[in-house]
Amino acid sequence: MKYRSILLIIMMLVVSKVFTQQKTITPNEAVSLALENNYGIKLANNEIEVAKNNASILNSGYLPTVTGNAGSTFNIDNTEAEFSNGNSTVLNGAESSRYNAAVNLNYTLFDGLGRSYDYKQLKQRYQLSELEARETIENTVYQLFTVYYNVAQLTENTLALQQSLEISRDRLLRAQYQFDYGQSTKLGVLNAEVDINNDSISVINTKQQLINIKRDLNVVLGNTLAGDFGVDTNIDFDVLYDKEELFQKAKTKNITLLQIEKNITISGLNIKSGKSAYLPTLGLTGTYGWNKNNNNAASFVTVSTSTGVSGGLSLSWNLFDGGSTITRVKNAKINLESQQLQKEQLQIQLERDFNNAWDDYHNKLNIYKLQEANIITSQNNFNRTEEKFKIGQVNSIEFRQAQLNLLNAELSRNQAKYDAKLAELQLLQLSGELLNIQF
């Protein structure tokens, strides 16, 4: 028994040393790794690049199109020619060839301003893609801290459970001594062994949960962490938020609201683009060409070469297209109206969600403070019970209850602490401030 206790103490020291040698990932480091390596963020950045390319002048329709054409033909003819003076000639296998090349230019001078509105839409869609990427980043950061603080909570839970296990081991050692010297029955030893087994199982399960959730965190970070690591379990709640100021930020910076406003702008431009079909289209064409003919001997001209430039204007006006343009414009107006209704609905929901998040944060913060106070009470109760247990004034059942009360208080405190922090982050995300704080 004595040697087993010494062995357990040595194992605890080894485990403690391993924990201290772990690399600790701070919240700032975790955010930096996620922004750089998270695959969802990488995909969102690629979408931004696509939208940026679409919004360039090369995709605007403002630039002309230039095409080049070239061709050649080669003939072998059997020709019988009779001239006006009565002479005639017969040519067998007479060769002739023709060559041509041209550069053509086409440019739309005016298309009813449709091109202008389409280009503006592309720029707005580029800005919308940036907002969508920001939403992805915000969601990823919140997901990151959900997993990060889960790791932190399980880390503290593991330490609390290990401390409780050490208390149970000490109790078993004491019960064994008392039994050896005839001061108690074997029942005290058996009860202590049962409690040690239960505490050991809790430690094993919690450690496995910790290992699993660390793997989840590494996935969010793009699988960039090699080997074991720890996280920072220190959390500050010193920031004082002004509810009205934060709500005003929510009405101007909330990412979902910003996206619907951008879609409203795009829909307005879409209506104007559709109306451009009512106006005529004016186009400019130009050609520079070169031609060379090598004729056979029967031709009046043996070789001819010509170069020249031609240009022209074209006007087209779709006077009536069967009503498709009218239908498109009407549908675009209805779509705009629907998005404006969605914005009004979102504003009402945002106010509700903000007030709920504000109350939830402060409630959880108050619960955390109460749990902190409960730790002190539970610790004092355990210390007194332990003293009485040592002198035989309380039995092992009462001692075990005081031990469990302290353990549950520590576990509840850990839960409350990280619940309050996540509630704070959710409040900041609704307000559009999640990416503007120092983690």
Side-chain angles (χ1 to χ4, degrees):
M1 182 67 191
K2 182 177 179 181
Y3 293 111
R4 186 171 66 176
S5 299
I6 295 174
L7 180 60
L8 290 172
I9 293 174
I10 293 174
M11 290 176 62
M12 289 297 300
L13 291 174
V14 172
V15 172
S16 176
K17 184 176 181 181
V18 171
F19 270 106
T20 57
Q21 291 177 343
Q22 287 179 346
K23 174 179 174 58
T24 299
I25 306 300
T26 66
N28 281 330
E29 291 173 339
V31 172
S32 298
L33 288 172
L35 293 178
E36 183 178 355
N37 300 289
N38 181 268
Y39 287 97
I41 294 178
K42 287 182 177 180
L43 292 173
N45 289 333
N46 284 344
E47 293 296 326
I48 290 179
E49 289 300 315
V50 171
K52 183 179 179 181
N53 292 335
N54 289 337
S56 70
I57 190 67
L58 298 176
N59 192 46
S60 64
Y62 277 107
L63 299 180
T65 59
V66 179
T67 58
N69 300 307
S72 65
T73 59
F74 182 79
N75 298 323
I76 298 178
D77 302 313
N78 295 324
T79 303
E80 182 178 345
E82 185 175 335
F83 299 98
S84 58
N85 58 7
N87 296 330
S88 62
T89 183
V90 175
L91 298 176
N92 293 321
E95 298 181 357
S96 64
S97 59
R98 297 179 180 84
Y99 304 95
N100 65 84
V103 177
N104 303 309
L105 179 143
N106 290 279
Y107 184 65
T108 301
L109 297 175
F110 180 75
D111 65 345
L113 298 178
R115 174 177 52 184
S116 173
Y117 294 127
D118 289 342
Y119 187 43
K120 289 178 181 179
Q121 282 190 72
L122 291 174
K123 288 186 173 296
Q124 293 296 322
R125 292 189 184 280
Y126 169 53
Q127 296 174 13
L128 178 61
S129 69
E130 290 181 320
L131 293 175
E132 291 170 344
R134 178 186 146 190
E135 181 182 31
T136 299
I137 293 173
E138 285 186 0
N139 291 335
T140 301
V141 169
Y142 185 80
Q143 178 195 12
L144 163 67
F145 280 109
T146 300
V147 182
Y148 183 94
Y149 289 135
N150 203 343
V151 173
Q153 180 182 341
L154 287 173
T155 300
E156 291 192 325
N157 288 354
T158 301
L159 294 176
L161 289 167
Q162 286 176 335
Q163 291 172 0
S164 182
L165 178 59
E166 285 304 303
I167 293 172
S168 296
R169 285 170 176 161
D170 183 69
R171 174 185 151 207
L172 175 61
L173 184 61
R174 184 178 298 278
Q176 186 66 50
Y177 284 150
Q178 290 175 343
F179 175 72
D180 291 342
Y181 289 99
Q183 297 177 355
S184 67
T185 64
K186 186 66 175 178
L187 182 61
V189 176
L190 294 176
N191 287 336
E193 288 179 346
V194 170
D195 292 337
I196 280 184
N197 289 335
N198 290 332
D199 291 347
S200 298
I201 292 172
S202 297
V203 170
I204 291 172
N205 288 335
T206 304
K207 283 185 175 180
Q208 186 59 53
Q209 292 174 7
L210 180 59
I211 292 172
N212 293 344
I213 202 66
K214 282 185 177 181
R215 293 192 181 109
D216 292 340
L217 179 59
N218 204 10
V219 169
V220 178
L221 299 178
N223 200 31
T224 55
L225 300 178
D228 198 10
F229 61 91
V231 298
D232 189 359
T233 58
N234 296 318
I235 290 180
D236 296 324
F237 293 100
D238 298 332
V239 179
L240 298 177
Y241 299 106
D242 181 86
K243 182 177 181 180
E244 185 59 32
E245 179 183 353
L246 209 55
F247 181 58
Q248 292 301 320
K249 289 182 178 180
K251 292 194 294 186
T252 57
K253 294 184 178 181
N254 178 269
I255 190 62
T256 307
L257 188 59
L258 291 176
Q259 288 183 75
I260 193 66
E261 289 175 346
K262 188 61 64 177
N263 280 320
I264 288 175
T265 301
I266 293 173
S267 295
L269 292 171
N270 191 37
I271 293 174
K272 294 178 180 179
S273 176
K275 289 182 177 179
S276 67
Y278 294 136
L279 299 177
T281 299
L282 180 64
L284 172 67
T285 60
T287 302
Y288 174 80
W290 170 82
N291 294 277
K292 181 178 180 181
N293 296 323
N294 296 318
N295 302 314
N296 57 39
S299 301
F300 181 74
V301 177
T302 305
V303 178
S304 66
T305 303
S306 65
T307 58
V309 177
S310 63
L313 292 174
S314 62
L315 176 69
S316 64
W317 196 338
N318 192 352
L319 299 177
F320 183 68
D321 60 359
S324 60
T325 299
I326 296 174
T327 303
R328 283 197 303 270
V329 172
K330 285 183 177 180
N331 290 339
K333 289 180 178 179
I334 294 173
N335 184 53
L336 175 60
E337 182 182 356
S338 297
Q339 290 181 340
Q340 289 171 337
L341 292 173
Q342 289 177 2
K343 178 182 177 181
E344 293 176 6
Q345 182 185 28
L346 179 60
Q347 288 173 330
I348 295 174
Q349 293 175 348
L350 178 60
E351 184 175 3
R352 177 204 62 190
D353 294 343
F354 177 84
N355 287 326
N356 289 344
W358 177 269
D359 292 341
D360 184 56
Y361 167 60
H362 283 85
N363 287 339
K364 288 180 177 177
L365 189 58
N366 289 331
I367 291 173
Y368 168 60
K369 293 177 181 178
L370 291 173
Q371 292 289 359
E372 282 279 18
N374 193 35
I375 286 287
I376 299 175
T377 303
S378 298
Q379 184 67 57
N380 290 335
N381 178 64
F382 173 76
N383 292 338
R384 294 192 178 203
T385 305
E386 186 179 31
E387 292 174 1
K388 291 182 179 182
F389 176 70
K390 290 178 180 179
I391 60 178
Q393 292 184 356
V394 298
N395 56 36
S396 61
I397 296 177
E398 293 172 318
F399 177 77
R400 177 63 174 177
Q401 188 60 50
Q403 177 189 0
L404 292 178
N405 288 341
L406 176 59
L407 175 62
N408 290 332
E410 291 175 339
L411 298 181
S412 298
R413 186 271 314 274
N414 296 342
Q415 179 74 45
K417 178 169 71 170
Y418 297 109
D419 282 350
K421 190 60 180 179
L422 289 175
E424 178 187 18
L425 295 180
Q426 187 176 30
L427 177 64
L428 292 172
Q429 184 179 14
L430 279 172
S431 306
E433 290 291 301
L434 181 61
L435 303 181
N436 298 330
I437 62 172
Q438 184 71 27
F439 295 102

